[in-house]
Amino acid sequence: KNQVEQSPQSLIILEGKNCTLQCNYTVSPFSNLRWYKQDTGRGPVSLTIMTFSENTKSNGRYTATLDADTKQSSLHITASQLSDSASYICVVTYSGTYKYIFGTGTRLKVLA
Amino acid sequence: GAVVSQHPSWVICKSGTSVKIECRSLDFQATTMFWYRQFPKQSLMLMATSNEGSKATYEQGVEKDKFLINHASLTLSTLTVTSAHPEDSSFYICSAPNDRGGRATQYFGPGTRLLVL
């Protein structure tokens, strides 16, 4: 079964600290993996996208990694800010299609 | 670029009425658009795929007569929730795919929050 699982479900950290979110997937055939940030009451916004051959991608303070052999990805957030409080969703795409398989999401709360 | 808008951003209606939500791709054309529903603290659930010039494709368990989809042009898809009931209250999000950079990416609208009283 094609699934995308994320951990932890929720996370609370202090402002300025780093954190890492995990994503495991079983989607096949794999096309690419994306991380999205979704603020409460808003649509998801793309942070990174990685294909099979890419194992790291950065976007400012966000760094995503991909291990296609173990089918695992992580999103590392450096020097967290209050505005990082949001849900982070890992999304995997089938090869040859636009259809997304969504992860369950990680709700991050950054405290002052 | 690759902006998707939704209208309205929120709507409150009485039970039994119909509500129309618009999804527009502002700076690109989209022959396909997706409609999602999201309940609190849950991930997005795909409801249907909207196809310009043909019928929408609905996911299993989604009533096509209740959620009417019309893809009127290459930049507009509408979702009509017919005879809305309180259990239809949810956050509805559309997306439109675009091949910019050679990577099929869905660009999401800001969402429409529906509250049925």
Side-chain angles (χ1 to χ4, degrees), chain A residues 54-92:
Chain A
E54 297 172 300
N55 52 30
T56 188
K57 185 69 69 77
S58 291
N59 178 1
R61 293 179 298 102
Y62 301 102
T63 299
T65 65
L66 173 64
D67 186 334
D69 291 331
T70 61
K71 298 188 177 182
Q72 295 180 326
S73 176
S74 66
L75 180 69
H76 186 75
I77 304 175
T78 305
S80 61
Q81 300 176 358
L82 298 179
S83 59
D84 293 332
S85 296
S87 286
Y88 292 83
I89 307 171
C90 175
V91 179
V92 178

Side-chain angles (χ1 to χ4, degrees), chain A residues 32 34 36 38 40-46 49-51 54 57 89 93 97-100 102-105 107, chain B residues 32 34 36 38 41-46 49 59 91 93 97-99 103-111 113:
Chain A
N32 49 59
R34 295 174 168 85
Y36 279 87
Q38 185 180 21
T40 301
R42 306 292 295 173
V45 174
S46 179
I49 173 175
M50 289 179 291
T51 61
E54 297 172 300
K57 185 69 69 77
I89 307 171
T93 312
T97 176
Y98 285 120
K99 265 198 173 180
Y100 279 8
F102 288 84
T104 48
R107 290 190 301 280
Chain B
T32 301
F34 298 97
Y36 297 89
Q38 185 177 33
K41 297 185 179 181
Q42 293 186 22
S43 194
L44 283 74
M45 290 171 42
L46 179 65
T49 303
E59 296 300 302
F91 191 52
I93 304 175
N98 190 277
D99 271 329
R103 298 180 177 185
T105 297
Q106 290 188 31
Y107 292 88
F108 291 88
R113 186 163 299 283

Side-chain angles (χ1 to χ4, degrees), chain B residues 31-35 47-59 64-65 67-72 77-78:
Chain B
T31 56
T32 301
M33 290 185 177
F34 298 97
W35 286 98
M47 298 175 65
T49 303
S50 173
N51 304 299
E52 191 270 336
S54 64
K55 291 182 179 180
T57 305
Y58 290 83
E59 296 300 302
K64 61 181 180 181
D65 294 330
F67 298 99
L68 300 179
I69 291 173
N70 182 12
H71 201 133
S77 174
T78 60

